[in-house]
Amino acid sequence: MNPVEMIEREQMRADLASFQVGDTVKVHVRIKEGEKQRVQVFKGVVIRKRQGKTGATFTVRKVSYGIGVERIFPSNSPLLEKIEVLSQARVRRSRLYYLRKRRGKAARLKDKNFR
Amino acid sequence: MVNGLIGKKVGMIRFFIENGEAVPVTVIEAGPCTVIQKKTENTDGYEAIQLGFESRKKVNQPQAGHFRAAGAGNFAVMKEFKTDQIDELEVGQEITLDIFEIGEKVSVTGTTKGRGFAGVIKRHGFAGGSATHGDTAPRAPGSIGAAAYPARVFPGKRMAGHYGNVRQTTRHLEVIDVRPEYGVILVKGAVPGPRNGIVLIKKHQSS
């Protein structure tokens, strides 16, 4: 088989929880500070997932002290400790860029099971 | 050891190294190459070995005779490489990618993608003109010099013309990983040429 595919396959992370755009997630990232290693948690809404093998990424947005913060994670990075899905939302598009213009109440998402 | 191998570009991927960093790598099928001929001080005036890569069914008679000594079939690509152990290498011996080590620097030579007759924006990175506001020359080079004096265009003026399909070397690329199980090495960064293009991988001369 094509060596590119084989190498990509062995680098993929199958152990991480699956999630969708609109989900509120907690991303646990390993961070190295000098000699020490610790785990940092980034909690927010997934506003974008990019397709790809090892090149896939996803973007998590949160509002921290009134300032919007977005962080892009490689979906298969070995630095990801785990991903927790806290809640799922019903969204009608794959890229939630419109959340950037919204603040507070307007930036809420509908719960997935809400009818 | 031999200071290089003939290979084939397979493609590029994002690769995660041990500390979690994502590195852009080119996957190169490196070898195995067969020693076809030994060039020696006595017969040729210099020392080198000729390597062959990729078997080929049909070759002409003179070439067939040249390959017969190695006894490993015919080859599509042949190239000479330097070596410091010419006495230990035999004609017909196979050289594999074991000669490369993780962390060492290599240069990769290939033939760049041919772009045909290319304009000045693609070929030399000119900015071009305005595409809107009634401009009629969005991709033109603009002025190519003054008029009555010097009354000519200076040699070497960058203009449109043939671009690509030339031999090019990218130097000082780090070997990120060696994978004998797939017969490939992973090299950090881009390498000249299209996928499936033939490349020469040479160990970087350490001075």
Side-chain angles (χ1 to χ4, degrees):
Chain A
M1 208 201 208
N2 185 348
V4 167
E5 277 175 42
M6 297 301 288
I7 291 169
E8 280 185 320
R9 194 167 297 174
E10 65 189 64
Q11 291 227 317
M12 304 281 270
R13 296 282 303 268
D15 52 318
L16 295 172
S18 68
F19 54 90
Q20 261 132 40
V21 169
D23 292 0
T24 304
V25 294
K26 258 187 182 173
V27 186
H28 298 247
V29 204
R30 281 188 214 109
I31 287 185
K32 214 170 180 186
E33 284 174 334
E35 283 304 291
K36 271 197 193 156
Q37 220 187 40
R38 62 184 189 88
V39 173
Q40 196 181 60
V41 181
F42 193 90
K43 183 190 155 194
V45 182
V46 179
I47 62 164
R48 162 172 78 169
K49 279 172 84 174
R50 288 185 68 175
Q51 295 292 321
K53 296 269 178 61
T54 54
T57 63
F58 63 96
T59 305
V60 180
R61 177 183 170 83
K62 75 169 175 185
V63 177
S64 172
Y65 298 103
I67 291 170
V69 180
E70 285 177 17
R71 194 161 164 192
I72 302 167
F73 298 98
S75 305
N76 293 293
S77 169
L79 295 180
L80 298 181
E81 177 91 18
K82 65 172 174 179
I83 298 169
E84 282 178 77
V85 180
L86 301 177
S87 68
Q88 299 190 302
R90 187 167 155 253
V91 292
R92 300 178 70 158
R93 50 208 78 227
S94 61
R95 308 274 144 117
L96 306 182
Y97 297 145
Y98 66 88
L99 290 180
R100 289 172 178 165
K101 288 195 207 123
R102 303 204 179 171
R103 287 286 122 110
K105 266 190 174 182
R108 287 173 306 169
L109 294 169
K110 261 198 194 111
D111 190 76
K112 191 155 202 177
N113 305 313
F114 182 80
R115 288 272 159 213
Chain B
M1 259 300 127
V2 188
N3 79 333
L5 275 186
I6 311 169
K8 197 179 195 180
K9 177 168 164 180
V10 182
M12 287 194 75
I13 50 171
R14 170 186 288 201
F15 188 79
F16 294 103
I17 55 176
E18 226 156 84
N19 65 7
E21 228 175 280
V23 177
V25 296
T26 307
V27 181
I28 304 173
E29 189 189 320
C33 296
T34 309
V35 180
I36 300 174
Q37 192 187 15
K38 278 160 76 167
K39 305 256 181 182
T40 56
E41 200 72 55
N42 281 339
T43 55
D44 308 281
Y46 63 99
E47 282 197 346
I49 56 160
Q50 189 182 53
L51 295 182
F53 177 66
E54 283 217 309
S55 62
R56 183 176 172 188
K57 255 190 206 157
K58 278 188 174 174
V59 290
N60 59 28
Q61 285 295 318
Q63 278 199 329
H66 182 62
F67 290 133
R68 210 163 289 143
N74 303 320
F75 293 97
V77 193
M78 285 174 287
K79 223 80 215 183
E80 277 181 24
F81 288 91
K82 278 184 197 158
T83 175
D84 50 358
Q85 298 172 306
I86 193 147
D87 298 328
E88 287 154 47
L89 295 163
E90 295 296 329
V91 170
Q93 190 182 335
E94 203 165 73
I95 314 242
T96 60
L97 52 106
D98 302 335
I99 62 166
F100 296 109
E101 284 165 39
I102 293 171
E104 96 180 311
K105 304 277 185 184
V106 292
S107 322
V108 180
T109 306
T111 307
T112 58
K113 285 181 184 173
R115 288 158 177 93
F117 193 99
V120 104
I121 293 180
K122 188 189 282 285
R123 194 175 184 219
H124 300 298
F126 282 17
S130 168
T132 51
H133 301 297
D135 223 315
T136 53
R139 293 184 75 87
S143 167
I144 55 169
Y149 185 79
R152 63 189 177 96
V153 175
F154 290 116
K157 175 77 201 136
R158 292 177 297 167
M159 289 189 179
H162 183 265
Y163 179 40
N165 195 21
V166 291
R167 184 187 153 102
Q168 194 179 68
T169 305
T170 311
R171 297 170 69 213
H172 236 280
L173 300 172
E174 191 184 339
V175 176
I176 297 292
D177 207 349
V178 179
R179 295 295 183 90
E181 68 266 38
Y182 307 128
V184 298
I185 64 170
L186 309 187
V187 159
K188 183 176 180 179
V191 149
R195 274 174 298 215
N196 295 326
I198 295 291
V199 291
L200 307 180
I201 315 148
K202 267 190 192 156
K203 286 169 173 262
H204 203 264
Q205 286 121 345
S206 50
S207 51

